[in-house]
Amino acid sequence: MYTQDRHERNRCLVGVRTVWRTVGDGEFFCADCGGDRNYHRRTGRRRLFAFGVPLLPRGPVGPVVECTACHSRYSLDALDHPTTTRFSAMLRDAVHTVALAVLAAGGTEARGVRQAAVGTVRAAGYADCSEEQLLTLIEALAADTGRLPGAYTDDRDGFDPCGTALAIELHEALEPLAPHLAPAGRESILLQGARIALADGPYQPAEREVLATVGRALLLRPEDTDRLLAAARTPS
C-alpha cells in the first residue's frame, strides 16, 4: 500500500503541464453553457514539471477560447458563431432587407403590399417600422442608383430585377446568416418575402427574380426555392 501511494504522489508531482497566458477577451456563444458568455483568448506552452519545478519545454499550445463561466475550451472557430444578441440583430436585418427588396421590385402602389411589408418587418423586431420609413428607404436607393429597382437597364441580361444596390444588400444581409440557420429558418425568411409579394396578387417577374436571389443567398437549392414559392400561393 505504501509503495502504491508513493507512486501515485510521484505521478502527480512529475509530468507535463500547460502554462496558459491570456492574450485577449470578449463575448461569445458558449456551446456548453448554451448562451452568451465572456471568454479569454489564451495561448500556452507545455513544459515538463518535476516536483513543482518547470524543466524542459514541450512546445506551444493553442490559441484557444476559454469560457470564463464553465472554463470549457474551444478552438478559435467558436468565435465565428454569432452571439445570441448578434444573431437576433442579423435575423432582424435580414427580414428587413428582404421585405424592402420585394416591396421595391413589385412596386409600392398597392396598400396591401405596403401593409404586409410593414407587418413583416415589425414582427421581426423593428416595432416602430412604418410605411413612410420603407418608402423613404426605397427612394434613397433609387436616388443612389439613378433609377428605381426593377427598371430596365443596359446590362447584358437587359433587366435588373431588384437593382444592383438591393442585390448587394440581400447578399450582405443573408449570406453571413445562412450557415447559422436551420433549413426551416432559411425557408421561413423566403416565405415571408413571398407573402409580401403575393399580397396584391400573383408574383410579378421582378418579384420572382428577387425571391430567387433571396433563395440563393440563403443557400437554398433552386428546386426548393421553386417549391416554397409555389406552396406560398396555396391558401393554408
Side-chain angles (χ1 to χ4, degrees):
M1 180 65 69
Y2 171 77
T3 302
Q4 183 178 359
D5 289 345
R6 183 173 62 182
H7 176 71
E8 292 296 328
R9 289 197 300 270
N10 288 341
R11 189 169 64 180
C12 294
L13 293 173
V14 180
V16 176
R17 304 179 193 172
T18 301
V19 179
W20 294 101
R21 181 169 67 95
T22 299
V23 295
D25 55 30
E27 187 179 50
F28 82 130
F29 179 85
C30 176
D32 282 356
C33 291
D36 296 347
R37 298 291 187 270
N38 292 324
Y39 72 84
H40 287 152
R41 180 175 175 179
R42 312 191 77 185
T43 60
R45 297 196 68 84
R46 299 172 70 245
R47 299 185 69 92
L48 175 65
F49 276 75
F51 301 98
V53 178
L55 300 176
L56 300 175
R58 285 292 184 267
V61 179
V64 299
V65 173
E66 181 179 294
C67 176
T68 61
C70 69
H71 302 292
S72 296
R73 294 190 181 121
Y74 307 92
S75 69
L76 294 185
D77 291 344
L79 300 182
D80 294 336
H81 192 293
T83 63
T84 54
T85 301
R86 175 59 181 154
F87 180 80
S88 296
M90 292 169 68
L91 186 58
R92 184 174 63 243
D93 290 345
V95 174
H96 182 275
T97 304
V98 170
L100 188 67
V102 174
L103 185 62
T108 60
E109 294 80 10
R111 186 166 182 262
V113 173
R114 298 195 305 270
Q115 291 179 331
V118 170
T120 298
V121 173
R122 286 179 177 175
Y126 286 107
D128 296 330
C129 178
S130 65
E131 292 183 23
E132 290 75 17
Q133 289 175 349
L134 293 181
L135 294 175
T136 298
L137 286 172
I138 292 173
E139 291 173 359
L141 285 167
D144 183 54
T145 61
R147 57 185 168 79
L148 285 173
Y152 281 93
T153 72
D154 294 327
D155 295 343
R156 182 182 62 182
D157 295 333
F159 187 66
D160 188 1
C162 63
T164 302
L166 273 177
I168 293 172
E169 290 285 340
L170 283 172
H171 284 282
E172 289 182 347
L174 299 177
E175 288 180 348
L177 176 66
H180 305 292
L181 284 171
R186 287 181 271 134
E187 292 179 358
S188 175
I189 293 177
L190 178 66
L191 287 171
Q192 290 180 71
R195 294 184 187 109
I196 295 172
L198 293 169
D200 64 343
Y203 300 115
Q204 298 180 32
E207 292 171 334
R208 289 284 311 214
E209 291 295 332
V210 166
L211 293 169
T213 299
V214 170
R216 288 192 295 271
L218 288 171
L219 307 180
L220 295 172
R221 297 180 302 175
E223 56 267 32
D224 289 333
T225 296
D226 291 341
R227 171 180 56 81
L228 291 165
L229 296 184
R233 292 186 300 183
T234 305
S236 58

